[in-house]
Amino acid sequence: MTDGVTVAVDRNADDGSRLPIKQGPRAPRAQSDLPRWAGATAWLVAAAVLVAVQWRSVAPVFRADEVGNLGNAYLFAHPDATWMLAANSYMPGTSMLLTPVWWVTSDPEVAYRIAVIIVALVGLLTILPLRAIAREVGAPPRVATVLAAIVVVAPSRALESNYVWGENLLVLCVAVAVLLLLRLDIASPGRTPVYLGAVAGTTFLAHGRALPFALAVLVVGAVLLRGRLKDAAAVVASGVAVLGVAYGLHRYIGSTIYLEDERVGKTLNDIAHVDVASYLGLAAGQLWYTVAAWAGLTVIGGAALLARARRESWRGPAAAVSVVLVAMSAAVPLLLANGETVNGRAHVFIYGRYLDAFLIPLAVIGLVMLWRGVPRVLPWVVVVLGAIGGLGAAWMLQAEVPAESGDWIVAPAHVAGVAHLMRIDATDAWPASWWAVTMLGLVPALVVALLARWRVACIAAVAIGAIGLTLYSDTVKFDRFEQQYRVAPLQVEALAGVDTDIVLYGDIASPQVLANGNEFTYWATPRAFVYMDTARDTSGVELFIANLDSEFAAEHGASPLVGTIIGNSATWVMPGELHDELDSQGRVLHRRED
């Protein structure tokens, strides 16, 4: 019995484990499908959207994340590299894919363009596991392809292809892990336990944030197979092996090309100093964000997953996936709920990037549910939940970063799904009220609720809205916010034409060097950039970046290069042949004599 709801079951489901769907008067037949051209068109449209998104991604924006991933790849390609980066190291999954880039070019601009294309391709390939998840919950083949493509072009997904970081690989691995869990045949698992453990470990290889997810998958996988000790051991053993390799590579990177690596300690310290009020506010913000960014699809998908878990008496794969995703949903606010993290950064209160990667499988399940038919009340319940979360988020935002104040920032990359509503600078047009922002953000979910009875119109509206908001946000928000960052630093560009065998040094006494050292390291390539302690031997120094009032520069008669004075620092050249050569070219700035 299903409490008066008729259940439509995919005819390919021999075990009766498909999700229960309300079979309304406008619901499709279980096996109705789209024309043959629909699947190919979906791939082409998704590819075109991702090309449009990353078209203007010509240089790194994030000096820690992006340069970190490219630096890891450079180390793998050139183990004798002299790179030395600041901040904390990043997991090497994406970097392993990018390693060949540094074998074919040493030009940082060309390397970035190739790298961002590779990352976008990884995002496009996510259609494959998402399509398989859609098939698993009852979507016909070409419908499944179209629905998976819609998820990939949604703002929360597509806009992450603007950057060279681990998000796309993480999403791909998470989707595969969820798929393997859903397909786990407890009675006859075959080789799935080994694959499941390995993929769970690979999520950690892709991104350090996935460690709780990986551990949860290993635990629930072993619990599901507790009656088959050999298979349960296979899940744990393969997972632990990959986790060990991932951590070993992380430590190798951190000890080789980083000044210091305190990521683990910082994360544990953040969790230890969680503020309860902030945690609750952030949890409300996470709830609002997932409803607003995904038009309620993730919550609809979650409800369907719980329905399947109930049919399995809470002992099957659906229950396992539910436990993993609930655990991740509870863990994410822990990473943000401390005063240092939230201070002045408005996007932290509705920070969607951390949780998105783990809920995306629910978005495709939600789309399948809309295709097959959902109880009319469910989308409205989702809107109400979003409104509750929105009220909590707006209250928290107004208390911590008042809308009328200009003393806060929003980085659109961290709130991609709602970036169209955000103010990215003081001149930006926006609703000027957090209450208005959170309520306007629910419009897509409201549209889904209104159109849910007409599946084709509803899915079409979601697809059109996803593509439209992605392209709008990319052009009006992302590109405008990032254009000032997607350039090589002038203090390195000024060395064009100078022999790249001449090392560029950076005075560690200069705040500019410490703050921008990653950029200097990246853009100086193939020239080596080396941090310089002026108290040690500096006899080989010819070029260096230092403060304008640098005692080292004054003592050695160094001169700044034309066009390199940025703030309180400049690129300096020491007296000698190089100085004379650059001076003859009019590239040396002379001090005025009083």
Side-chain angles (χ1 to χ4, degrees), residues 40 79 101 131 138 166 178 194 226-227 230 254 269 287 324 328 346 402 425 436 446 455 463 471 489 499:
V101 172
R131 177 188 183 277
V178 169
V194 175
R226 60 190 179 277
K230 181 179 178 181
N269 183 68
L287 173 60
V324 170
M328 278 306 305
D425 60 43
L446 185 62
R455 63 186 178 102
L471 297 179
D499 186 354

Side-chain angles (χ1 to χ4, degrees), residues 30-404:
Q31 290 298 308
S32 63
D33 206 350
L34 296 173
R36 292 183 179 276
W37 53 264
T41 301
W43 276 96
L44 291 173
V45 171
V49 170
L50 294 184
V51 167
V53 164
Q54 58 85 57
W55 192 258
R56 290 168 293 277
S57 298
V58 296
V61 173
F62 297 99
R63 63 173 65 105
D65 307 61
E66 294 191 274
V67 174
N69 277 289
L70 288 158
N72 295 351
Y74 194 87
L75 173 64
F76 293 150
H78 305 288
D80 59 346
T82 59
W83 279 41
M84 191 59 64
L85 302 177
N88 297 308
S89 64
Y90 287 81
M91 296 305 295
T94 296
S95 305
M96 295 169 73
L97 299 179
L98 302 180
T99 297
V101 172
W102 291 113
W103 290 335
V104 299
T105 184
S106 59
D107 185 321
E109 184 173 356
V110 174
Y112 187 83
R113 291 297 293 141
I114 298 173
V116 82
I117 290 171
I118 292 173
V119 170
L121 286 173
V122 173
L124 184 65
L125 288 176
T126 308
I127 289 176
L128 295 174
L130 292 178
R131 177 188 183 277
I133 290 172
R135 293 285 292 130
E136 180 65 21
V137 297
R142 290 182 288 277
V143 169
T145 302
V146 170
L147 299 184
I150 291 173
V151 172
V152 166
V153 301
S156 287
R157 260 304 49 245
L159 292 169
E160 300 302 337
S161 292
N162 264 307
Y163 315 103
V164 178
W165 55 15
E167 306 302 315
N168 281 6
L169 182 60
L170 173 60
V171 170
L172 179 65
C173 293
V174 166
V176 174
V178 169
L179 174 64
L180 290 174
L181 262 182
L182 289 175
R183 285 184 171 176
L184 188 60
D185 185 342
I186 300 173
S188 180
R191 295 183 179 180
T192 302
V194 175
Y195 300 148
L196 177 61
V199 172
T202 305
T203 62
F204 179 58
L205 184 71
H207 207 298
R209 190 191 320 134
L211 181 58
F213 176 87
L215 295 176
V217 170
L218 296 184
V219 170
V220 299
V223 170
L224 283 177
L225 296 168
R226 60 190 179 277
R228 302 175 64 91
L229 187 58
K230 181 179 178 181
D231 292 318
V235 172
V236 175
S238 60
V240 169
V242 177
L243 286 172
V245 171
Y247 185 71
L249 287 171
H250 169 70
R251 294 300 301 159
Y252 164 67
I253 292 167
S255 63
T256 305
I257 62 169
Y258 277 84
L259 293 173
E260 58 182 0
D261 185 9
E262 301 177 349
R263 182 172 298 280
V264 175
K266 182 180 184 304
T267 300
L268 293 176
N269 183 68
D270 286 348
I271 294 174
H273 292 84
V274 166
D275 176 84
V276 176
S278 293
Y279 179 89
L280 293 177
L282 287 161
Q286 294 291 312
L287 173 60
W288 172 79
Y289 179 89
T290 194
V291 173
W294 290 101
L297 296 175
T298 51
V299 181
I300 293 173
L305 190 66
L306 291 173
R308 174 169 169 171
R310 181 184 177 189
R311 293 180 63 212
E312 296 170 350
S313 300
W314 306 101
R315 297 177 181 177
V321 174
S322 300
V323 169
V324 170
L325 298 185
V326 168
M328 278 306 305
S329 299
V332 164
L334 289 174
L335 304 176
L336 300 168
N338 66 82
E340 178 185 356
T341 301
V342 302
N343 184 32
R345 301 168 65 204
H347 51 265
V348 171
F349 297 95
I350 47 176
Y351 204 105
R353 184 167 69 90
Y354 279 9
L355 188 56
D356 256 343
F358 304 100
L359 298 188
I360 282 170
L362 296 182
V364 78
I365 294 174
L367 281 171
V368 175
M369 298 306 102
L370 290 177
W371 176 263
R372 302 191 66 180
V374 295
R376 294 180 183 178
V377 71
L378 179 57
W380 293 103
V381 171
V382 172
V383 172
V384 171
L385 288 174
I388 293 172
L391 291 173
W395 178 83
M396 189 76 172
L397 282 161
Q398 186 60 29
E400 298 289 339
V401 283
E404 59 273 13

Side-chain angles (χ1 to χ4, degrees), residues 391-451:
L391 291 173
W395 178 83
M396 189 76 172
L397 282 161
Q398 186 60 29
E400 298 289 339
V401 283
E404 59 273 13
S405 169
D407 191 25
W408 49 266
I409 62 169
V410 168
H414 305 312
V415 290
V418 296
H420 57 283
L421 294 170
M422 295 295 135
R423 187 194 77 184
I424 62 170
D425 60 43
T427 65
D428 206 10
W430 77 302
S433 164
W434 292 121
W435 308 97
V437 164
T438 54
M439 294 304 105
L440 285 172
L442 299 177
V443 169
L446 185 62
V447 170
V448 167
L450 291 169
L451 297 179

Side-chain angles (χ1 to χ4, degrees), residues 19-30:
L19 298 173
I21 311 297
K22 179 180 183 293
Q23 187 73 22
R26 298 180 183 273
R29 298 191 311 275

